[in-house]
Amino acid sequence: MAQFVDWDLAAATAGALGKSGPRVSYAEATDVVGDLRRLTEEAAGHVADYTGLRPQVTPPPVRVVDRRDWAGANIDGLREVIGPLVGRLAGDKQPGVVTEAIGSRLTGVQAGTVLAYLSGRVLGQYEVFSGDPGQLLLVAPNIVEVERKLGADPRDFRLWVCLHEVTHRTQFTAVPWMRAHFLGEVQAFVDASSGSEHLAERLRRGVATLADAIRDPESRTSVLDLVQTPAQRAVLDRLTALMTLLEGHAEFVMDGVGPRVIPSVDRIRAAFNRRREAGNPLEKAIRRLLGIDVKMRQYAEGRKFVHGVVERVGMEGFNKIFGSPLTLPRLEEIGDPDAWVARVHGPAGPLPAAG
């Protein structure tokens, strides 16, 4: 089978280009790892109590990683997903040996460049590609670096981060069909690709676009250039609604639990929001092209949607959103919680609780 990306080269490139982490002693690093593991378990109890969502499957233990390991974990996940998809769609149309070797190595360097940039920014992630039900990753050097820059209390900031990431883990472990549904939508997006251009070439252009953005802040191309067919746009609308829900739900839980268990949460939230909005022109260009700006809007829009639904029907009523793929919000409902409530609960909404 043709290789779309030289994944080993991608990993080497990400490791070579990734920024070094903050200076910490061995004893400090050991304490951070132990602290994050302990706070993950504490956050799990808070999230379960606040949301009423209980894991239906047992997740693997949290992995506390450095930047290189984070990039490696994502490369493993992408290898599991992209390779089979490209191979299936390519069919018998295999490129020549030279074309494959040069193309896969070029894309490997480009993918590694993108992952190197992201590895210095991501605080945590629930990685769903490489295994079922997924794996919670916390990037220790980034968490330490940001808490120092913000002047935040380490325990408070680390728990705050854990609340967000554990909520994502809960979404996939308390809703066992969520991972298969998400991967199915990714599959549908690929299946909807136009046959006028080989998928691998379009994906290569997308990776090149991201890598070029890191080197050239004046670039005006966008990853959305990959979305070319009406069928792809329909799938993208569903994926956008899903990701906005999941990110907004995590933000809502952070804000709901935080004041109860994190004394300095208001200061952390204000400082972190300023950090999100700041950035030099290069940073802003890269964020736009990588979709990070879109994700920031998802945090705000999704949190507003979740708040609106909970305000109308309570947490138990909101949790009906996880009943099946049919009860997930549509893109047009994200800005109109009443529309989702009317569709799922009926025009009158749920009956008020007795007593």
Side-chain angles (χ1 to χ4, degrees):
M1 179 186 294
Q3 183 172 334
F4 164 60
V5 180
D6 185 331
W7 295 110
D8 293 335
L9 183 57
T13 302
L17 297 182
K19 296 190 302 180
S20 59
R23 290 182 177 274
V24 295
S25 68
Y26 179 80
E28 288 173 321
T30 301
D31 287 344
V32 170
V33 171
D35 207 26
L36 289 172
R37 288 174 176 162
R38 179 181 61 79
L39 291 171
T40 295
E41 295 310 309
E42 180 179 337
H46 294 316
V47 170
D49 291 342
Y50 185 74
T51 65
L53 296 172
R54 305 286 172 177
Q56 303 300 306
V57 295
T58 302
V62 60
R63 280 186 64 195
V64 182
V65 298
D66 61 17
R67 291 165 176 174
R68 183 188 292 267
D69 287 339
W70 177 86
N74 278 270
I75 286 171
D76 290 343
L78 291 170
R79 192 199 305 256
E80 288 291 322
V81 173
I82 290 181
L85 289 179
V86 172
R88 185 178 62 80
L89 291 180
D92 297 326
K93 297 179 181 179
Q94 302 294 333
V97 175
V98 175
T99 300
E100 177 184 349
I102 294 174
S104 66
R105 288 180 64 80
L106 176 61
T107 311
V109 171
Q110 292 166 337
T113 301
V114 173
L115 287 167
Y117 171 78
L118 290 175
S119 71
R121 297 187 59 85
V122 175
L123 302 181
Q125 174 191 10
Y126 191 67
E127 200 283 306
V128 299
F129 287 141
S130 56
D132 189 6
Q135 172 77 66
L136 177 58
L137 307 174
L138 294 176
V139 190
N142 294 348
I143 292 172
V144 171
E145 185 172 72
V146 172
E147 73 188 27
R148 289 180 177 179
K149 287 182 177 179
L150 299 182
D153 176 84
R155 178 265 177 194
D156 285 5
F157 184 75
R158 294 167 193 176
L159 179 56
W160 193 68
V161 171
C162 289
L163 287 172
H164 184 101
E165 302 307 334
V166 167
T167 300
H168 284 318
R169 184 176 70 179
T170 300
Q171 291 160 349
F172 283 88
T173 57
V175 188
W177 53 263
M178 184 66 75
R179 178 177 181 270
H181 174 70
F182 173 72
L183 295 181
E185 291 288 51
V186 173
Q187 173 85 61
F189 183 83
V190 174
D191 288 344
S193 175
S194 171
S196 60
E197 181 184 10
H198 195 283
L199 172 68
E201 291 307 315
R202 191 176 305 167
L203 290 176
R204 280 198 177 104
R205 285 195 295 107
V207 173
T209 293
L210 298 179
D212 288 345
I214 293 173
R215 293 186 291 265
D216 178 15
E218 301 302 319
S219 173
R220 291 293 179 265
T221 54
S222 168
V223 292
L224 293 179
D225 293 339
L226 294 175
V227 184
Q228 295 186 351
T229 71
Q232 279 184 309
R233 293 185 183 279
V235 178
L236 185 62
D237 283 350
R238 297 196 301 270
L239 277 169
T240 299
L242 174 60
M243 298 309 295
T244 302
L245 166 69
L246 298 181
E247 293 294 357
H249 183 231
E251 291 283 293
F252 179 81
V253 173
M254 286 172 76
D255 288 345
V257 174
R260 308 178 185 185
V261 298
I262 302 174
S264 61
V265 67
D266 290 341
R267 182 177 179 278
I268 290 173
R269 167 61 80 183
F272 196 78
N273 285 347
R274 287 194 298 270
R275 176 181 177 271
R276 278 180 177 171
E277 295 165 1
N280 61 41
L282 173 60
E283 288 273 318
K284 291 180 179 178
I286 294 171
R287 289 197 319 227
R288 174 177 59 82
L289 287 160
L290 291 177
I292 296 172
D293 279 350
V294 172
K295 193 164 188 173
M296 290 178 182
R297 290 195 295 274
Q298 287 176 342
Y299 290 145
E301 294 170 2
R303 182 170 59 239
K304 186 176 180 180
F305 169 78
V306 175
H307 175 80
V309 172
V310 172
E311 190 175 50
R312 288 161 175 77
V313 299
M315 188 67 75
E316 185 176 352
F318 167 80
N319 284 343
K320 289 185 178 296
I321 214 162
F322 299 120
S324 79
L326 296 177
T327 57
L328 292 172
R330 299 164 182 166
L331 186 59
E332 62 272 17
E333 292 171 339
I334 292 293
D336 187 2
D338 285 324
W340 181 86
V341 171
R343 179 170 65 85
V344 175
H345 288 278
L351 295 174

